[in-house]
Amino acid sequence: MKVCFVVGTLARGGAEKQLVFMLQALQKLGIESEVLCLTRGEPYEEEINDLGFQVRHVGASKNRLSRLANIVRALRESRPDIVQSSHFYTNLYAGAAGKLLRIPSIGAVRSDLIYEIQSHRVTGKLQVSLPDMLITNSDAAHRRLLERGLDPAKIEFVRNVVETKNGTKNGSSRRGLKILFVGRLDKNKRPERFVRLASILTEQFPHAELQFQIAGDGEKRFELETTAELLDLGSDKLTFLGDCADMHSVYAGADILVSTSEREGTPNVVLEAMAHGLPVVATAVGGTRDLVTDGRGLLVEPGDETALVKAAADLILNKDTRSRIGTEGLRYVRANHSLGALQKHLLKIYEGLSHRAEKLTVPVLKSERAE
């Protein structure tokens, strides 16, 4: 079996990281894979090449028809059994190319579906309908697809995967606490909420030696740095780390993660923090509601910054609560978000999709013979 992935970007992000995990899972299963990417020279391209997979660039033109033609040519050359999209906006290419070449196709829904449809008003419906199957990474998106009337047999909820490190423990013997934000600095992640939180908590706990860190980059960085300066949050209080290649060290050095997103699918950041034993405060959006529950973290409504401050303050004041929540989160991630579980799930999906495709083509062949 061979699977060809169509991806929009290989920049550092949740969908891209999950693509790497999928490639690793298929490699362990002995399934051949390759990647067709619209962009060139981004961080995960090197990592994918190092794993032994080929990355082919098909996005030289910005024109959708030209890109589709490039993808069709590449698929004709590689002759995969399945073509799979890793981003919602590449569902169009994977689905259309699959239809043209009679290759089973899989699309991706990485957020809550509402955001995807709103962001792609012209092509949104095609992004959902063209692929033969859709993979979601949140139960919320799965439910919304069913509400839209999609056949349940064509939707699969596949949990995000995260690495866990043996012996990882929350906290250290140093003084003070490090409070961390991780994510792209854009309007959906709402990092300005974290900057305001840092200002309020610094004033509320003047002797706690709190340090705030923002790991990630994006279009809002200059605005955030300006706001931090206006709020008198110098580098001793709030540090902008930018994109970090070694996130393990960043998580290992932190004490609390705060997620302030307006929209999410199943956030890798929250899973990664939990995998490092960090207690999490997060906004109740998308798949975050399913992760940060049952004693595994503290949820607040996305517009309620007063509740966000209170939840973070509660963790600052209570070391035992931080430890208990961190331990529960780590236990949950190890049990539910492993690479082994992903391998089994993907194999089941691919075999089922291939079997359905064979059943659909058999009657056509018989009819042609009869004529």
Side-chain angles (χ1 to χ4, degrees), residues 256-325:
I256 299 168
L257 177 95
V258 177
S259 174
T260 57
S261 297
E262 190 70 22
R263 295 182 176 89
E264 285 288 359
T266 295
N268 282 344
V269 165
V270 170
L271 284 173
E272 289 167 354
M274 293 165 72
H276 285 80
L278 288 179
V280 174
V281 177
T283 46
V285 293
T288 310
R289 297 185 186 92
D290 302 315
L291 300 178
V292 185
T293 184
D294 297 331
R296 298 192 295 267
L298 302 176
L299 282 175
V300 300
E301 290 303 313
D304 194 344
E305 294 192 30
T306 300
L308 186 71
V309 170
K310 182 180 184 305
D314 288 345
L315 291 182
I316 290 168
L317 290 169
N318 197 322
K319 182 177 180 180
D320 289 341
T321 301
R322 294 199 304 271
S323 178
R324 174 178 52 77
I325 289 176

Side-chain angles (χ1 to χ4, degrees), residues 88 91-92 94-96 99 105-109 113 117 122-134 145 148-151 154-155:
F88 186 78
N91 289 357
L92 188 69
K99 291 285 189 294
S105 61
I106 300 175
V109 179
L113 188 63
I117 297 295
V122 177
T123 62
K125 291 182 179 179
L126 285 174
Q127 309 280 20
V128 171
S129 62
L130 270 179
D132 298 308
M133 172 171 280
L134 291 171
L145 286 168
R148 291 178 68 90
L150 267 74
D151 182 352
K154 294 184 178 181
I155 313 167

Side-chain angles (χ1 to χ4, degrees), residues 71-231:
I71 291 167
V72 169
R73 279 194 293 269
L75 292 173
R76 279 184 174 141
E77 291 175 14
S78 60
R79 302 175 65 85
D81 299 285
I82 292 171
V83 56
Q84 180 171 345
S85 169
S86 284
H87 296 91
F88 186 78
Y89 61 93
T90 52
N91 289 357
L92 188 69
Y93 300 115
K99 291 285 189 294
L100 288 169
L101 299 174
R102 297 187 179 182
I103 301 171
S105 61
I106 300 175
V109 179
R110 302 292 312 174
S111 188
D112 60 5
L113 188 63
I114 293 176
Y115 170 68
E116 276 103 338
I117 297 295
Q118 290 176 345
S119 300
H120 300 82
R121 294 186 184 277
V122 177
T123 62
K125 291 182 179 179
L126 285 174
Q127 309 280 20
V128 171
S129 62
L130 270 179
D132 298 308
M133 172 171 280
L134 291 171
I135 285 180
T136 76
N137 70 337
S138 74
D139 190 50
H142 186 266
R143 290 195 303 269
R144 289 188 177 117
L145 286 168
L146 293 176
E147 289 168 1
R148 291 178 68 90
L150 267 74
D151 182 352
K154 294 184 178 181
I155 313 167
E156 282 286 341
F157 169 33
V158 177
R159 296 180 188 273
N160 279 7
V161 172
V162 66
E163 294 174 312
T164 57
K165 305 277 187 180
N166 290 330
T168 300
K169 292 183 179 179
N170 173 44
S172 68
S173 59
R174 60 176 161 73
R175 296 181 63 186
L177 292 173
K178 281 188 178 180
I179 302 173
L180 178 65
F181 171 96
V182 180
R184 180 157 183 80
L185 306 185
D186 62 22
K187 63 180 181 180
N188 290 322
K189 302 299 182 183
R190 298 298 298 270
E192 70 278 5
R193 292 171 174 165
F194 183 80
V195 175
R196 291 193 289 266
L197 174 78
S199 176
I200 294 169
L201 291 177
T202 297
E203 291 185 10
Q204 191 171 336
F205 299 99
H207 305 297
E209 298 184 45
L210 301 179
Q211 292 180 292
F212 297 84
Q213 293 183 325
I214 294 179
D217 214 336
E219 60 267 23
K220 290 178 73 71
R221 178 162 177 170
F222 178 75
E223 173 191 326
L224 297 170
E225 290 175 332
T226 301
T227 301
E229 186 177 350
L230 291 173
L231 293 174

Side-chain angles (χ1 to χ4, degrees), residues 9 17 175 316 369:
T9 172
K17 183 62 177 177
R175 296 181 63 186
I316 290 168
R369 289 194 189 104

